[in-house]
Amino acid sequence: MSTQDTIRRLPPQTISQDVTSFHGLQTISTYNTTRADASEANLQLTYQAMLTQQQTENEKLALYRAAADAARLAEWEFHNAVLAMKEVVRGQYGSDSDQAQAVGLKKKSERKRPTRKKSVAAAS
């Protein structure tokens, strides 16, 4: 038997089929095996462990999503506060000041002036 790649998740369809098989086994009253890993007690134990771990994963995933939402909102609040600060600096010191340049704004005097484009029809 080849080694199993336990790094990847099993497809939901496979897990669903396994659960269906496990529930089907519970209807067989004469099932008996000497293999410890295939015993009904071990199957029940591993099934409960799977359900517990899936529940833990879902709870942590919900916490992660809430934390990601909170971080995203905090980033937007900070960004909007910085934009407001830049407007105040521009209004208080002018758009051509060293203070405006210090907060990341380009000085008005350093902007390139628009140039006229030569007409293509005139060249013909």
Side-chain angles (χ1 to χ4, degrees), residues 73-121:
L73 290 174
E75 289 167 356
W76 274 104
E77 287 177 10
F78 175 70
H79 176 68
N80 289 333
V82 168
L83 291 178
M85 175 268 300
K86 286 180 178 182
E87 286 180 28
V88 169
V89 168
R90 188 181 302 127
Q92 190 172 357
Y93 298 102
S95 58
D96 200 32
S97 66
D98 292 335
Q99 292 84 352
Q101 187 177 24
V103 297
L105 297 172
K106 197 169 200 171
K107 282 186 172 184
K108 191 173 184 178
S109 62
E110 292 178 0
R111 294 184 191 271
K112 285 188 174 181
R113 298 197 185 271
T115 59
R116 286 189 179 175
K117 293 185 180 183
K118 293 183 179 179
S119 175
V120 178

Side-chain angles (χ1 to χ4, degrees), residues 47-68:
Y47 177 67
Q48 288 302 321
M50 179 189 71
L51 291 178
T52 302
Q53 291 301 322
Q54 286 176 337
Q55 180 180 355
T56 301
E57 177 188 26
N58 288 333
E59 290 169 356
K60 289 184 178 183
L61 189 57
L63 291 173
Y64 165 76
R65 287 181 181 147

Side-chain angles (χ1 to χ4, degrees), residues 1 10 16 18 21 25 28-29 37 42 46 60 65 68 73 86 93 97 103-104:
M1 184 176 211
L10 286 171
S16 178
D18 290 346
S21 296
L25 174 68
I28 303 173
S29 61
D37 60 336
N42 186 56
T46 56
K60 289 184 178 183
R65 287 181 181 147
L73 290 174
K86 286 180 178 182
Y93 298 102
S97 66
V103 297

